[in-house]
């Protein structure tokens, strides 16, 4: 069985610091991280592989070569190989063009199962799994929380999906596209200590548009059906601060003591007993 | 009664000897007094100020020239005594005591009446075969006169072989003159033994050396002793203390032999340890131990007020709920942990260790961005040093099986390396355990063999606490480096 995982590297929004004076997020020195939903998808793929080592897991990303080291780490975590679709011609591609580029590659691989995160941290459109499924004419399930069944032998997988307040279980036949929800419990394993310095360069494949053969008109800005009108960062409210000023030392000590006691940091007798 | 105890093997004794020679020649020893320094210089030692570097050959020659045994002649010849290895021990009242206890247990400064009583007890004792003119030190306005009076009274009250006084040349000469006059013996006989003492660490007082010189010139035996205190005036490690003590005694012996080759000497030591709480020299006696056991034989010295215990127990920081909450927290938030590594060092070095550890971790530790806390605190401080817990917490971004290798062990390695580099100890009251056992030998250096000997003696099959303290390769591979 061949599983293909779509992964994306996004800015680590948690590492943004907040500039109180200018009321902006500071994004300099932030790093790229594996999109958490995609990490869950990869975690599921590796979990299935652990149960059946014959399963082949390929991780695919469409990104500049700057994330090559992170792709090596994906291999070290357990993927059989990684593919980077990297070409200047892809720059500016919207989700439609991106899905076409990915789909063109995926057609050649003929995987049984395509896993992806349902959403990304930096875009949040959730378009790619759906557009890809459409391009490849495959069934799609999104927001999958958990899976069961015997996918290798049955050729299908049972998926629990959130729908409003309910959780419904679907059986989806392969080949299929499955989008994993952020709330799913699949954990992406860390690189093991003995693999930290393992040379996995031979398991990384880089493909350009030359290999894919897509016309220029169908990729990049030219191939995109949509444009980014504007982008903005959410306005961050300055965190509420409560300041209490006490001019009397004894009053101050009493206040701190009562506060600590209320919060459960102090037990036992009252301060004034001492 | 002939008691001989050898707790070191011949090769270990040789090791002590070689390190002593290195210490005397390389580091040198303070020998105060220009006359003393000139003597050493004349015989080929390097002298820098009051520091004398005694060459190994000079030490070896001195050991060879000192006689292996000698006769101390008493006024009553029947009481003369041979001092030497394998001979009956010389049992002498201890010297230098200024306080007496009466039969009611009350203390007071010694008087001459007390001193005379002591001499009478010595003379009539069937156990003591020597008398000591310094067994009690009565308080007198002029100590020099007092010492002469003490020698006088000693000669008056006993005819046993004598241990005399040698505080400086004048007292030494007076002592020998008085003994000569009282006994009718000449300097071709050994009639009075001096007791001299070095000043630790690694020094000799000029007055004491004058005493050695005077007694040596007049062919009288000298007991050359050292009373270093491990933890105060000597290294706290026994082996270091032994080597230092040995060096001090040998330096005194060398000086005596340079003055008069062949003058009898006794290799003496009362070196011991200090009580770290009071910094007092502690030399236990069987009687003191028995008294302590008797005092606490019922297990309760004084009943503690039960209300105090109840209050303490009720105010504990940890209730069962707190423990349960902590366990649940660890299950839910397993991605963060913290450790401490406890070390200890003297005040001169503790801050250097702290600074260099912090700097190295910041520079070298690959996962430093995962650290959420890094610091140190002390809980036990002493006059000469302190312990310190290095405390470090981190977000765990690895598989649980790899946590120790990726986070704990590299940090601990830096802490131990820097601690040992600055002469500290990689443990204090929390011990070495298994995870620092690979540095035990480096920590203990030349004293490591003592640990090995104890282990071999008490656990010859190596079944007690396997892997603790003593590194075991299979244990390190299985639990630390996790080699497959």
């Amino acid at each position: 069985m061949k599983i293909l995982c779509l992964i994306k590297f996004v800015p680590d929004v948690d590492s943004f610091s907040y500039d109180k004076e200018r009321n902006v997020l500071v994004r300099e020195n932030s790093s790229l991280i594996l999109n958490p939903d995609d990490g869950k998808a990869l975690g599921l793929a590796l979990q299935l592989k652990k149960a059946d080592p014959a399963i082949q897991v390929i991780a695919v990303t469409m990104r500049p070569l700057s994330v090559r080291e992170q792709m090596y780490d994906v291999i070290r975590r357990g993927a059989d190989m990684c593919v980077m679709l990297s070409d200047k011609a892809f720059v500016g591609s919207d989700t439609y063009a991106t899905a076409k580029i990915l789909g063109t590659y995926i057609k050649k691989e003929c995987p049984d199962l395509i896993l992806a995160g349902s959403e990304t941290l930096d875009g949040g459109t959730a378009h790619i799994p759906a557009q890809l499924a459409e391009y490849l004419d495959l069934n799609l399930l999104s927001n999958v929380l958990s899976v069961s069944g015997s996918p290798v032998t049955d050729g299908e997988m049972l998926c629990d999906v959130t729908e409003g307040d309910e959780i419904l279980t679907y059986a989806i036949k392969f080949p299929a596209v499955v989008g994993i929800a952020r709330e799913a419990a699949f954990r992406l394993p860390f690189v093991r200590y003995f693999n930290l310095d393992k040379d996995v360069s031979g398991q990384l494949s880089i493909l350009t548009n030359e290999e894919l053969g897509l016309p220029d008109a169908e990729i990049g800005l030219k191939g995109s059906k949509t444009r980014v009108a504007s982008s903005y960062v959410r306005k961050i409210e300055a965190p509420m601060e409560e300041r209490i000023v006490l001019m009397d030392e004894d009053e101050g000590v009493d206040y701190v003591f009562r506060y600590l006691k209320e919060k459960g940091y102090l037990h036992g007798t009252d301060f004034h007993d001492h | 009664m002939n008691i001989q105890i050898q707790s070191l093997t011949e090769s270990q004794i040789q090791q002590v000897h070689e390190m002593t020679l290195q210490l005397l020649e390389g580091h040198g020893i303070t020998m105060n007094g220009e006359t003393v320094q000139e003597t050493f210089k004349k015989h080929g030692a390097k002298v820098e100020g009051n520091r004398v570097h005694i060459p190994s050959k000079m030490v070896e020659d001195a050991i060879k020239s000192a006689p292996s045994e000698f006769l101390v002649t008493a006024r009553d010849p029947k009481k003369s005594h041979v001092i030497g290895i394998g001979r009956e021990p010389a049992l002498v009242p201890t010297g230098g005591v200024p306080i007496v206890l009466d039969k009611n247990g009350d203390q007071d400064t010694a008087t001459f009446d007390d001193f005379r009583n002591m001499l009478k007890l010595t003379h009539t004792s069937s156990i003591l075969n020597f008398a000591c003119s310094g067994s009690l030190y009565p308080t007198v306005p002029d100590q020099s006169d007092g010492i002469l009076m003490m020698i006088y009274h000693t000669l008056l009250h006993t005819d046993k072989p004598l241990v005399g006084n040698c505080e400086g040349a004048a007292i030494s000469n007076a002592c020998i003159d008085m003994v000569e006059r009282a006994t009718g013996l000449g300097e071709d006989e050994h009639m009075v033994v001096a007791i001299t003492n070095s000043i630790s660490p690694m020094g000799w007082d000029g007055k004491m050396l004058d005493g050695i010189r005077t007694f040596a010139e007049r062919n009288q035996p000298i007991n050359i002793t050292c009373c270093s205190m491990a933890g105060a005036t000597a290294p706290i490690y026994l082996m270091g203390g032994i080597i230092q003590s040995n060096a001090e005694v040998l330096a005194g012996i060398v000086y005596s032999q340079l003055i008069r080759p062949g003058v009898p000497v006794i290799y003496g030591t009362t070196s011991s340890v200090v009580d770290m709480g009071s910094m007092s020299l502690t030399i236990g006696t069987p009687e003191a131990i028995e008294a302590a056991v008797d005092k606490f034989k019922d297990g309760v010295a004084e009943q503690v007020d039960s209300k105090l215990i109840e209050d303490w127990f009720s105010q504990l920081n940890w209730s069962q709920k707190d423990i349960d909450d902590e366990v649940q927290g660890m299950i839910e938030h397993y991605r963060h942990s913290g450790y401490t590594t406890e070390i200890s060092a003297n005040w001169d070095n503790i801050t250097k260790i702290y600074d260099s550890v912090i700097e190295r971790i910041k520079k070298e530790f690959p996962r430093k961005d995962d650290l959420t806390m890094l610091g140190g605190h002390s809980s036990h401080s002493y006059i000469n040093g302190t312990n310190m817990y290095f405390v470090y917490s981190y977000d765990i971004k690895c598989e649980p099986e790899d946590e120790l290798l990726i986070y704990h062990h590299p940090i601990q390695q830096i802490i131990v390396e820097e601690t040992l580099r600055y002469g500290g100890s990689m443990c204090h009251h929390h011990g070495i355990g298994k995870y620092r056992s690979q540095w035990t030998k480096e920590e203990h250096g030349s004293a490591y063999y003592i640990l090995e000997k104890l282990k071999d003696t008490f656990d010859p099959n190596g079944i007690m606490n396997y892997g603790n303290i003593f590194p075991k390769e299979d244990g390190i591979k299985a639990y630390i480096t996790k080699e497959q």
Side-chain angles (χ1 to χ4, degrees):
Chain A
M1 179 178 176
K2 184 187 286 186
I3 300 177
L4 214 126
C5 281
L6 303 179
I7 59 176
K8 187 181 179 188
F9 294 92
V10 297
D12 181 7
V13 297
D14 285 340
S15 70
F16 293 171
S17 57
Y18 175 64
D19 186 333
K20 283 186 198 173
E21 287 177 13
R22 293 188 297 147
N23 200 29
V24 294
L25 285 175
V26 178
R27 287 188 274 193
E28 284 80 19
N29 300 323
S30 70
S31 54
L32 288 175
I33 58 167
L34 180 61
N35 181 46
D37 291 21
D38 299 341
K40 299 279 172 89
L42 187 55
L44 168 58
L46 293 175
Q47 183 181 306
L48 292 171
K49 183 178 171 65
K50 193 175 178 183
D52 186 345
I55 292 176
Q56 187 187 21
V57 173
I58 302 172
V60 184
T61 193
M62 192 176 103
R63 191 77 196 167
L65 296 180
S66 56
V67 298
R68 187 167 9 199
E69 280 304 317
Q70 279 130 310
M71 291 300 278
Y72 286 148
D73 263 356
V74 169
I75 299 168
R76 293 186 187 112
R77 287 175 196 248
D80 293 291
M81 67 178 286
C82 281
V83 174
M84 293 184 72
L85 306 177
S86 187
D87 198 311
K88 279 186 190 162
F90 296 156
V91 174
S93 299
D94 67 353
T95 54
Y96 175 79
T98 300
K100 188 178 279 188
I101 294 164
L102 288 170
T104 305
Y105 161 71
I106 291 171
K107 262 187 190 168
K108 296 178 201 270
E109 283 291 340
C110 303
D112 300 290
L113 177 61
I114 300 164
L115 291 174
S118 290
E119 287 187 37
T120 60
L121 282 182
D122 65 341
T125 62
H127 284 178
I128 294 291
Q131 288 175 328
L132 189 63
E134 181 65 25
Y135 183 80
L136 294 171
D137 193 24
L138 296 177
N139 289 323
L140 164 72
L141 267 181
S142 237
N143 289 313
V144 170
L145 281 175
S146 59
V147 302
S148 58
S150 306
V152 174
T153 51
D154 297 346
E156 67 177 32
M157 194 159 69
L158 298 175
C159 302
D160 293 333
V161 177
T162 49
E163 258 191 51
D165 294 333
E166 294 179 302
I167 295 177
L168 303 178
T169 302
Y170 292 95
I172 187 164
K173 285 191 180 310
F174 302 150
V177 179
V178 172
I180 305 298
R182 190 166 303 170
E183 297 77 20
F186 308 119
R187 185 176 79 82
L188 181 62
F190 290 99
V191 179
R192 291 302 311 274
Y193 177 78
F194 48 80
N195 281 335
L196 284 173
D197 295 322
K198 188 177 176 187
D199 180 8
V200 295
S201 52
Q203 290 161 262
L204 176 69
S205 183
I206 299 172
L207 300 178
T208 65
N209 195 39
E210 194 177 323
E211 283 87 12
L212 296 182
L214 284 163
D216 285 347
E218 293 183 25
I219 57 176
L221 281 171
K222 289 180 188 165
S224 299
K225 299 288 187 190
T226 58
R227 290 278 187 276
V228 176
S230 71
S231 67
Y232 60 91
V233 179
R234 261 183 312 136
K235 198 166 180 178
I236 304 295
E237 299 279 334
M240 287 283 292
E241 273 185 7
E242 187 184 353
R243 299 187 82 197
I244 297 165
V245 179
L246 296 165
M247 304 303 289
D248 181 75
E249 271 181 8
D250 287 340
E251 204 183 331
V253 169
D254 276 352
Y255 185 89
V256 170
F257 178 79
R258 278 199 304 277
Y259 181 86
L260 291 174
K261 198 162 178 193
E262 278 163 25
K263 297 299 176 188
Y265 288 102
L266 294 176
H267 305 280
T269 57
D270 191 12
F271 176 72
H272 294 287
D273 288 347
H274 295 280
Chain B
M1 177 178 63
N2 185 350
I3 304 168
Q4 270 192 289
I5 300 171
Q6 183 170 331
S7 53
L8 303 182
T9 64
E10 288 303 321
S11 69
Q12 288 161 345
I13 292 172
Q14 184 61 30
Q15 198 179 2
V16 169
H17 180 65
E18 282 163 15
M19 296 190 82
T20 303
L21 295 180
Q22 282 178 36
L23 185 61
L24 284 172
E25 186 161 4
H27 181 272
I29 184 166
T30 300
M31 304 293 268
N32 285 313
E34 282 183 21
T35 311
V36 176
Q37 292 147 20
E38 281 306 313
T39 303
F40 274 99
K41 207 185 283 187
K42 193 172 82 177
H43 284 84
K46 184 169 106 175
V47 178
E48 294 171 322
N50 59 6
R51 177 76 62 90
V52 176
H53 298 265
I54 305 177
S56 302
K57 188 170 183 313
M58 194 181 281
V59 177
E60 308 259 4
D61 288 345
I63 293 170
K64 283 183 193 139
S65 73
S68 58
E69 62 178 40
F70 57 93
L71 176 70
V72 181
T73 308
R75 191 140 54 117
D76 178 356
K78 292 194 297 295
K79 294 174 185 169
S80 301
H81 192 93
V82 175
I83 291 180
I85 293 175
R87 295 290 192 163
E88 285 293 312
L91 298 169
V92 189
T94 192
V97 178
I99 306 272
V100 291
L101 283 178
D102 66 19
K103 61 183 177 186
N104 300 320
D106 296 325
Q107 290 185 4
D108 206 344
T109 51
T111 64
F112 263 100
D113 282 339
D114 296 321
F115 181 57
R116 278 188 287 271
N117 287 336
M118 186 73 194
L119 289 169
K120 290 173 188 172
L121 287 170
T122 302
H123 181 71
T124 55
S125 168
S126 60
I127 296 172
L128 298 172
N129 49 26
F130 265 75
C132 177
S133 62
S135 52
L136 273 184
Y137 264 72
T139 305
V140 291
D142 182 335
Q143 201 59 39
S144 298
D145 283 346
I147 291 174
L148 296 176
M149 289 300 291
M150 284 154 63
I151 299 169
Y152 168 73
H153 283 286
T154 305
L155 291 166
L156 207 56
H157 287 87
T158 181
D159 56 4
K160 286 189 175 177
L162 291 175
V163 172
N165 300 78
C166 62
E167 291 91 327
I171 296 280
S172 300
N173 276 314
C175 176
I176 298 169
D177 288 342
M178 288 167 77
V179 172
E180 211 172 33
R181 190 79 70 84
T183 61
L185 299 168
E187 286 182 14
D188 54 344
E189 293 185 85
H190 311 307
M191 51 189 160
V192 58
V193 182
I195 293 189
T196 65
N197 209 96
S198 61
I199 293 187
S200 305
M202 293 301 285
W204 276 93
D205 170 59
K207 234 177 167 179
M208 235 358 113
L209 291 170
D210 285 346
I212 292 179
R213 186 176 63 252
T214 306
F215 268 72
E217 282 170 348
R218 297 185 67 172
N219 193 33
Q220 299 306 304
I222 311 148
N223 185 354
I224 299 188
T225 73
C226 167
C227 185
S228 61
M229 300 186 283
T233 60
I236 200 152
Y237 295 120
L238 284 184
M239 203 55 188
I242 289 169
I243 292 166
Q244 182 191 297
S245 176
N246 190 41
E248 291 176 25
V249 172
L250 285 178
I253 291 174
V254 168
Y255 184 56
S256 74
Q257 301 304 300
L258 290 180
I259 299 299
R260 188 184 184 118
V263 68
V265 288
I266 302 167
Y267 182 110
T269 179
T270 54
S271 296
S272 187
V273 299
V274 292
D275 166 45
M276 295 300 282
S278 64
M279 295 310 285
S280 299
L281 180 67
T282 55
I283 301 177
T285 65
E287 293 82 359
I289 292 169
E290 282 170 7
V293 169
D294 187 60
K295 184 177 176 183
F296 295 104
K297 68 173 180 233
D298 295 326
V300 176
E302 185 184 330
Q303 183 71 36
V304 176
D305 183 351
S306 300
K307 182 75 173 62
L308 294 172
I309 304 293
E310 186 187 345
D311 283 348
W312 163 76
F313 193 77
S314 304
Q315 314 304 327
L316 285 174
N317 285 332
W318 295 101
S319 65
Q320 187 58 48
K321 185 174 183 317
D322 289 317
I323 295 170
D324 293 341
D325 286 347
E326 190 186 16
V327 170
Q328 189 58 34
M330 285 166 70
I331 292 169
E332 288 169 7
H333 309 287
Y334 59 94
R335 291 289 160 201
H336 185 267
S337 190
Y339 278 96
T340 65
T341 296
E342 190 203 16
I343 61 115
S344 53
N346 62 30
W347 290 115
D348 282 345
N349 290 326
I350 195 70
T351 51
K352 292 175 195 166
I353 291 169
Y354 177 84
D355 289 338
S356 67
V357 164
I358 300 297
E359 194 184 330
R360 270 193 69 185
I361 289 175
K362 284 180 181 174
K363 270 193 193 154
E364 298 172 25
F365 180 53
R367 301 285 183 116
K368 58 179 171 293
D369 291 336
D370 296 338
L371 290 171
T372 54
M373 178 168 70
L374 177 64
H377 69 265
S378 165
S379 62
H380 292 69
S381 294
Y382 309 90
I383 290 171
N384 59 332
T386 182
N387 79 327
M388 178 163 58
Y389 291 92
F390 278 99
V391 187
Y392 39 101
S393 305
Y394 44 81
D395 291 324
I396 304 170
K397 294 180 181 172
C398 68
E399 294 300 314
E401 303 93 312
D402 293 337
E403 185 206 333
L404 285 182
L405 276 174
I406 289 178
Y407 292 98
H408 175 60
H409 196 64
I411 293 175
Q412 178 149 272
Q413 179 162 352
I414 290 173
I415 292 169
V416 173
E417 283 176 2
E418 290 307 294
T419 300
L420 295 182
R421 188 160 76 90
Y422 281 99
S425 169
M426 65 175 174
C427 61
H428 179 252
H429 60 275
H430 284 282
I432 294 172
K434 293 176 175 61
Y435 286 93
R436 275 174 264 182
S437 60
Q438 65 193 90
W439 292 286
T440 300
K441 196 165 186 183
E442 192 184 334
E443 156 111 358
H444 289 272
S446 59
Y448 184 70
Y449 79 96
I450 298 176
L451 278 181
E452 283 184 308
K453 197 172 172 71
L454 287 168
K455 181 73 168 173
D456 288 343
T457 303
F458 290 105
D459 183 23
N461 296 325
I463 60 172
M464 297 185 194
N465 240 340
Y466 187 85
N468 264 36
I469 301 178
F470 297 91
K472 293 291 180 189
E473 198 179 332
D474 57 338
I476 291 174
K477 277 186 181 171
Y479 299 109
I480 298 176
T481 58
K482 305 274 176 65
E483 288 173 42
Q484 302 298 319

